[in-house]
Amino acid sequence: LSLHDALPISLISMRGISRFWEVNQVKWMPKGIVFGIAWLILYILMAWGGYQYYTNQTNVDKQLNFLSLFYVQLLFNFLWVLSFFTQPSYTTGRFALMVMLFLFISVVYLIYMSWGVSTTATWFFVIYALWLVFAAILNVAFINDYNKTVLTT
């Protein structure tokens, strides 16, 4: 399902990507191709980690709770992409950062849930969480740089 969700997210955000790169002034931000490759790898890790948890967890209620949280984090992921890339501005950057916080919290909870059930799932979600920290730092840098650009023009 993660890979299934990646395509619509990519297609919806493509429209705003060119505008994003126009206003983005963060010099150390990786180019768009790096993001595309990284997110593809992350979606594969998410899907595989979710599968590992689901097949190793024998408690049906815990499986359902995990799947519910997994879908919630996918929703936050989708909202972050929409808010960060489609209409880049100071306000949407701040909103994207707030969404990122909820996304990060949900992934940390996925790590907690998978701990002791699947080492593979746990490490895949740790990698995802580390990428989210990097994305949040970029988000903050974008807000700061965008604000400076607007104030100086």
Side-chain angles (χ1 to χ4, degrees):
L1 186 62
S2 290
L3 295 175
H4 179 270
D5 291 338
L7 182 61
I9 291 171
S10 299
L11 292 175
I12 290 170
S13 63
M14 291 294 268
R15 192 181 79 177
I17 293 282
S18 60
R19 172 80 177 120
F20 173 80
W21 293 112
E22 286 174 17
V23 299
N24 178 27
Q25 301 297 319
V26 181
K27 302 293 184 225
W28 50 272
M29 180 177 254
K31 296 300 175 204
I33 188 75
V34 174
F35 276 102
I37 293 168
W39 279 108
L40 175 63
I41 292 168
L42 288 169
Y43 275 108
I44 291 169
L45 293 179
M46 279 188 272
W48 187 250
Y51 174 77
Q52 287 295 308
Y53 177 88
Y54 194 79
T55 58
N56 289 311
Q57 177 56 262
T58 56
N59 184 311
V60 174
D61 288 336
K62 289 182 179 181
Q63 285 177 331
L64 293 175
N65 288 340
F66 181 87
L67 282 177
S68 297
L69 183 59
F70 189 83
Y71 290 128
V72 166
Q73 70 82 25
L74 282 178
L75 176 65
F76 285 136
N77 187 309
F78 179 72
L79 289 174
W80 181 79
V81 169
L82 285 179
S83 60
F84 189 66
F85 286 110
T86 56
Q87 292 295 325
S89 71
Y90 180 75
T91 303
T92 57
R94 290 177 59 189
F95 178 74
L97 191 58
M98 183 182 68
V99 171
M100 177 61 78
L101 175 65
F102 289 113
L103 173 57
F104 182 77
I105 290 168
S106 64
V107 172
V108 168
Y109 199 68
L110 286 173
I111 294 168
Y112 170 77
M113 290 179 78
S114 63
W115 192 273
V117 176
S118 170
T119 304
T120 302
T122 302
W123 280 109
F124 285 171
F125 290 120
V126 166
I127 292 167
Y128 180 30
L130 291 173
W131 177 261
L132 294 178
V133 169
F134 176 68
I137 291 168
L138 287 173
N139 198 151
V140 169
F142 171 78
I143 292 168
N144 290 337
D145 286 355
Y146 188 86
N147 195 33
K148 288 177 194 171
T149 303
V150 170
L151 292 176
T152 58
T153 57

